Amino acid sequence: MKIVLQRVSEASVRVDEEEVGSIKQGLLLLIGVEEEDNQEDIDWLSKKIVNMRIFSDEEGKMNKSVLDVSGGILAISQFTL
């Protein structure tokens, strides 16, 4: 499993000119899954991602998670690089 993660102030995804998903502040995830990936892999990565402290606190230090800032997550699966 490969995930490209980007912290965003807003993000959206369109399919055939139609917006099918959007978020304000949060995380954009581009996810590639392989046959060998299992539920344990998904659970471990999910916990790691939502607890990453990559959002600024009141002092400007990256000390808050997406959960702490009530951010959204826009996940795009099986992307092509």
Side-chain angles (χ1 to χ4, degrees):
M1 181 179 299
K2 304 281 185 191
I3 297 180
V4 176
L5 178 145
Q6 183 174 3
R7 182 179 55 155
V8 297
S9 56
E10 63 181 79
S12 64
V13 63
R14 292 179 169 272
V15 175
D16 294 328
E17 303 296 322
E18 179 183 346
E19 186 174 285
V20 295
S22 66
I23 59 170
K24 296 294 181 194
Q25 179 183 30
L27 298 174
L28 170 64
L29 308 179
L30 302 176
I31 305 169
V33 181
E34 297 179 299
E35 280 188 41
E36 298 81 27
D37 294 330
N38 58 44
Q39 189 62 48
E40 185 178 317
D41 298 326
I42 294 167
D43 293 344
W44 183 83
L45 269 174
S46 298
K47 185 176 179 181
K48 183 170 182 77
I49 288 167
V50 299
N51 289 299
M52 290 179 71
R53 299 195 167 279
I54 58 175
F55 291 91
S56 298
D57 63 14
E58 296 76 19
E59 297 176 8
K61 295 181 181 179
M62 288 190 171
N63 197 26
K64 290 190 172 189
S65 70
V66 69
L67 297 174
D68 296 330
V69 299
S70 299
I73 295 177
L74 179 58
I76 302 172
S77 65
Q78 303 303 71
F79 70 96
T80 303
L81 290 177

